[in-house]
């Protein structure tokens, strides 16, 4: 009996072994299931998680495209530079570090300290610095100061072409000029690199590496001729000084193609620093600024008179006085309460004048008499044909459309428009209008770029729009009349030895807040050589001194200077026949 009970009892040692065995079986079974889940069921998920922990991605910034002049000279380009930054938590002496960085780079200390004070793991100290200077700073072994490569936009032509080329912000985004207009072309497409790294961030040798290269931005080839741009900019600056003017603008057009060979203004600015310039200085007045053209508008009035067959240059207009009263009492009103008094620049006896003489000597009264005999609506129609009151479509942002105000119910608007008032234009519009006469009556859309070039060398050419404005015979006649203006009229200062030149002076009182002031806008627009014009040059002087207020005095001399340079640049030989 006792032996049977002992046989039924299980020894504790054997029980423990059995339980341990069962536990091991269960554990191995669970482990097997877990391994099966990890290595088979969810293997791809865990592999991706692991790869994500040891890999990193970085965006590869594309190289911004280069802006060239017509001969391949760079106007804007990107160069290698480096940026100094700090990790605030690693700085042992931020005061000393920022002082040293400032001393080597010339950057102000205050912005550096303000960036550091914000905390975080990154603070800019000095961006886009010459690599040699950056290395000098790194050689100081300043705790917490590091460097990273960051490209920089530079402008080899400096201020000479700043109003055309424009500029970018610190991150390379176009803000003004062609940099803004063609920003999407110039920017390119960012790339990406993905690589495996260890816990310290160091790339793992033989590790996985994937790279999508950045696609560089397109290059932009402009129509600008850099030497001619320099000549125009220099002439503008000196004209400002000579006439004590507020500003000067010069546009040089290829009369046949509409290419803008130069577009310069003064005062100018440095496109990199921009520290000494105000916002108004950045504005390209040649495209965005509007002014009343005064007597340069008489080209459109005269073209209307001839093209409609209303007059011929030899026709005589009888009894032209030196002042004309549209509204009764206008010329006797001392306070301008009654509008409608028009006067010639110089007093003269009432006399007969040919149409050519009216144009050559810029008679306001004679021109108004011509306009009064034009077909109804003709002047407005021809202004629109010449592009006044509408944008030219130049490839430049913010172009002003100008304005033409000839209200049928306005007693003075037609007379004012005939002599360049009640009309607002841009310097580029006037240059394009004169280019239509130079180009045998065909208006051609002005443009600043000839092509964009992608990374594969494919060209996208600019194709300008064209339309006929006047008959070719009318354009030829107008050119001869313009030549007489320079030969014996108000534009004698525009003469160029060895070339026949034609052009028209303009002098208009400046309208400020709806009131005419004693300040003037003086201008001269002309072409050469007159028998087969290649070039049109427009010069606008803002607020010249009283002594030089007329376009023939302040604007004609820089016109002659720039026109001569343009003719030489295009290889136009002197004809031997001077004015």
């Amino acid at each position: 009996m006792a032996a049977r009970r002992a046989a039924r009892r299980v020894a504790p040692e054997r029980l423990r072994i059995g339980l341990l065995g069962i536990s091991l079986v269960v554990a191995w079974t669970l482990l097997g299931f877990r391994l099966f889940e990890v290595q088979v069921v969810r293997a791809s998920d865990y592999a991706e998680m692991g790869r994500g922990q040891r890999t990193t991605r970085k965006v590869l910034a594309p190289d911004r495209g280069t802006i060239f002049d017509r001969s391949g000279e760079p106007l804007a380009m990107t160069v290698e530079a480096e940026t100094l930054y700090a990790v605030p938590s690693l700085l042992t002496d931020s005061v000393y570090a920022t002082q040293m960085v400032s001393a080597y780079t010339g950057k102000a200390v205050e912005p550096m300290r303000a960036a550091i004070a914000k905390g975080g793991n990154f603070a800019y100290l000095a961006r886009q610095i010459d690599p040699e200077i950056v290395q000098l700073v790194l050689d100081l072994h300043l705790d917490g100061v590091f460097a990273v490569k960051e490209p920089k936009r530079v402008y080899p032509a400096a201020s000479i072409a700043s109003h055309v080329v424009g500029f970018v912000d610190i991150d390379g985004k176009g803000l003004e000029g062609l940099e803004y207009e063609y920003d999407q072309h110039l920017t390119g497409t960012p790339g990406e690199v993905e690589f495996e790294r260890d816990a310290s961030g160091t790339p793992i040798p033989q590790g996985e590496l994937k790279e999508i290269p950045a696609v560089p931005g397109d290059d932009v080839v402009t129509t600008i001729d850099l030497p001619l741009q320099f000549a125009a900019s220099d002439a503008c600056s000196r004209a400002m000084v000579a006439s004590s003017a507020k500003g000067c603008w010069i546009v040089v057009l290829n009369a046949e193609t509409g290419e803008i060979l130069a577009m310069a203004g003064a005062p100018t600015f440095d496109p990199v620093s921009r520290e000494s310039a105000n916002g108004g200085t950045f504005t390209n007045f040649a495209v965005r600024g509007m002014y009343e053209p005064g007597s340069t508008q008489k080209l459109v009035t005269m073209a209307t008179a001839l093209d409609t067959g209303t007059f011929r240059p030899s026709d005589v207009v009888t009894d032209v006085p030196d002042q004309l009263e549209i509204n009764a009492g206008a010329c006797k009103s001392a306070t301008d309460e009654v509008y409608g008094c028009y006067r010639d620049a110089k007093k003269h006896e009432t006399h007969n004048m040919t149409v050519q003489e009216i144009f050559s000597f810029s008679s306001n009264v004679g021109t108004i008499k011509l306009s009064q005999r034009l077909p109804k609506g003709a002047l407005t129609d021809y202004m629109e044909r010449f592009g006044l009151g509408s944008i030219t479509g130049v490839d430049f942002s913010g172009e002003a459309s100008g304005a033409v105000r000839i209200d049928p119910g306005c007693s003075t608007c037609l007379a004012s428009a005939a002599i360049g008032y009640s009309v607002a234009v841009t310097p580029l519009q006037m240059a394009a209008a004169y280019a239509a006469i130079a180009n045998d009556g065909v208006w051609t859309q002005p443009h600043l770029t000839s092509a964009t070039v992608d990374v594969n060398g494919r060209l996208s050419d600019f194709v300008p729009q064209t339309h006929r404005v006047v008959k070719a015979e009318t354009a030829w006649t107008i050119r001869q009349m313009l030549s007489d203006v320079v030969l014996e009229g108000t534009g004698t200062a525009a003469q160029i030895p060895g070339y026949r030149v034609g052009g028209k002076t303009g002098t208009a009182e400046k309208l400020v807040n709806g009131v005419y002031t004693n300040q003037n806008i003086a201008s001269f627009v002309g072409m050469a050589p007159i028998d087969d014009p290649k070039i049109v040059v427009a010069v606008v002087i803002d607020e010249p001194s009283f002594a030089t207020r007329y376009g023939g005095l302040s604007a004609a001399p820089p016109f002659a200077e720039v026109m001569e340079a343009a003719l030489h640049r295009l290889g136009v030989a002197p004809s031997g026949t001077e004015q």
Side-chain angles (χ1 to χ4, degrees):
M1 181 73 70
R4 264 192 229 119
R5 282 199 294 270
R8 291 195 192 114
R9 259 194 230 127
V10 179
E13 295 81 4
R14 300 179 81 181
L15 181 61
R16 286 195 294 270
I17 292 172
L19 291 174
L20 177 61
I22 293 172
S23 299
L24 289 173
V25 170
V26 172
W28 278 107
T29 301
L30 293 175
L31 181 60
F33 276 114
R34 181 60 177 164
L35 288 173
F36 179 79
E37 180 188 26
V38 170
Q39 296 182 350
V40 178
V41 178
R42 299 187 60 188
S44 60
D45 294 339
Y46 286 110
E48 184 64 26
M49 290 174 60
R51 196 174 73 87
Q53 291 175 348
R54 67 178 183 274
T55 59
T56 186
R57 293 183 179 88
K58 287 187 177 181
V59 174
L60 300 176
D63 290 337
R64 189 172 179 85
T66 300
I67 300 177
F68 294 100
D69 87 330
R70 66 187 300 107
S71 300
E73 293 295 326
L75 301 177
M77 59 189 295
T78 300
V79 298
E80 289 187 2
E82 294 187 23
T83 287
L84 289 164
Y85 69 94
V87 178
S89 60
L90 300 180
L91 286 171
T92 55
D93 190 342
S94 62
V95 174
Y96 177 72
T98 53
Q99 285 177 340
M100 290 298 99
V101 172
S102 175
Y104 279 88
T105 66
K107 301 295 183 180
V109 170
E110 290 74 15
M112 300 182 198
R113 293 179 180 172
I116 292 171
K118 292 179 180 179
N121 295 320
F122 186 93
Y124 281 120
L125 298 180
R127 297 186 67 178
Q128 299 175 358
I129 305 300
D130 187 294
E132 293 182 359
I133 295 177
V134 169
Q135 188 58 51
L136 293 176
V137 175
L138 295 178
D139 289 343
L140 298 175
H141 302 293
L142 301 171
D143 292 338
V145 176
F146 306 94
V148 64
K149 293 185 181 299
E150 186 178 31
K152 178 181 180 180
R153 198 67 164 168
V154 297
Y155 301 90
S159 63
I160 300 302
S162 57
H163 286 107
V164 173
V165 177
F167 50 83
V168 298
D169 65 13
I170 191 69
D171 296 312
K173 182 176 177 59
L175 295 181
E176 256 292 1
L178 294 178
E179 290 276 33
Y180 175 83
E181 178 71 17
Y182 286 91
D183 188 57
Q184 290 187 342
H185 288 273
L186 292 163
T187 298
T189 304
E192 183 181 85
V193 62
E194 181 181 296
F195 58 90
E196 292 184 283
R197 61 178 180 175
D198 59 22
S200 66
T202 304
I204 299 175
Q206 309 303 320
E208 185 178 347
L209 176 66
K210 294 181 180 179
E211 181 176 353
I212 302 175
V215 179
D218 297 346
D219 293 334
V220 173
V221 181
T222 73
T223 58
I224 295 295
D225 181 88
L226 189 54
L228 186 56
Q229 178 73 20
F230 177 83
S233 180
D234 184 55
C236 229
S237 297
R238 287 187 286 104
M240 264 189 66
V241 174
S243 58
S244 301
K246 180 180 178 181
C248 168
W249 290 90
I250 295 179
V251 176
V252 183
L253 273 181
N254 183 312
E256 297 175 347
T257 66
E259 294 175 314
I260 300 173
L261 303 179
M263 181 182 281
T268 187
F269 64 92
D270 183 337
V272 175
S273 68
R274 308 193 298 274
E275 294 175 353
S276 61
N278 57 51
T281 307
F282 301 152
T283 297
N284 188 337
F285 187 89
V287 175
R288 299 173 182 167
M290 297 190 297
Y291 69 103
E292 290 183 301
S295 293
T296 54
Q297 156 68 18
K298 292 173 183 175
L299 171 130
V300 179
T301 305
M302 192 60 62
T304 306
L306 300 181
D307 206 54
T308 58
T310 308
F311 291 97
R312 295 171 300 178
S314 59
D315 288 344
V316 177
V317 179
T318 59
D319 300 325
V320 179
D322 61 358
Q323 72 176 26
L324 180 65
E325 197 174 68
I326 300 296
N327 294 322
C331 292
K332 297 178 181 178
S333 175
T335 59
D336 290 333
E337 293 179 357
V338 180
Y339 293 102
C341 182
Y342 297 89
R343 298 182 176 88
D344 283 347
K346 296 180 180 180
K347 290 185 177 183
H348 59 80
E349 296 293 330
T350 299
H351 61 280
N352 298 339
M353 298 183 74
T354 65
V355 172
Q356 174 65 67
E357 290 172 335
I358 289 172
F359 192 64
S360 295
F361 296 101
S362 202
S363 170
N364 291 330
V365 174
T367 303
I368 293 171
K369 280 182 166 289
L370 296 179
S371 70
Q372 291 172 333
R373 293 171 56 182
L374 293 174
K376 185 177 181 179
L379 184 57
T380 302
D381 176 41
Y382 275 83
M383 285 184 180
E384 292 176 353
R385 292 191 193 186
F386 275 99
L388 307 189
S390 60
I391 62 173
T392 66
V394 66
D395 47 339
F396 198 92
S397 66
E399 182 183 12
S401 63
V404 175
R405 308 181 188 92
I406 306 181
D407 188 338
C410 173
S411 60
T412 60
C413 287
L414 177 62
S416 294
I419 61 173
Y421 289 92
S422 294
V423 179
V425 301
T426 68
L428 182 60
Q429 282 179 331
M430 290 307 293
Y434 275 68
I437 294 298
N439 193 31
D440 291 331
V442 177
W443 184 92
T444 302
Q445 181 185 10
H447 51 284
L448 278 163
T449 60
S450 58
T452 57
V453 187
D454 68 14
V455 67
N456 296 313
R458 290 189 294 264
L459 289 173
S460 296
D461 295 327
F462 186 96
V463 181
Q465 298 180 2
T466 63
H467 65 265
R468 180 163 291 283
V469 176
V470 296
K471 296 185 286 289
E473 307 82 59
T474 302
W476 184 89
T477 302
I478 292 291
R479 292 200 296 268
Q480 308 315 306
M481 297 174 73
L482 290 170
S483 179
D484 285 345
V485 172
V486 176
L487 178 63
E488 58 184 9
T490 58
T492 55
Q495 295 178 10
I496 302 174
Y499 296 94
R500 287 191 66 207
V501 177
K504 188 73 186 72
T505 57
T507 305
E509 293 178 352
K510 193 172 181 180
L511 187 66
V512 179
N513 298 324
V515 178
Y516 285 103
T517 67
N518 58 2
Q519 297 293 339
N520 287 54
I521 295 285
S523 58
F524 189 95
V525 189
M527 60 195 69
I530 205 64
D531 292 329
D532 184 18
K534 303 297 184 184
I535 302 293
V536 167
V537 175
V539 180
V540 178
I541 308 292
D542 186 12
E543 296 187 14
S545 65
F546 183 81
T548 60
R549 66 189 183 278
Y550 295 115
L553 295 176
S554 58
F559 162 87
E561 181 181 340
V562 174
M563 177 60 84
E564 185 172 18
L567 292 170
H568 291 168
R569 285 294 299 166
L570 266 66
V572 180
S575 64
T577 303
E578 301 183 14
Q579 300 293 140

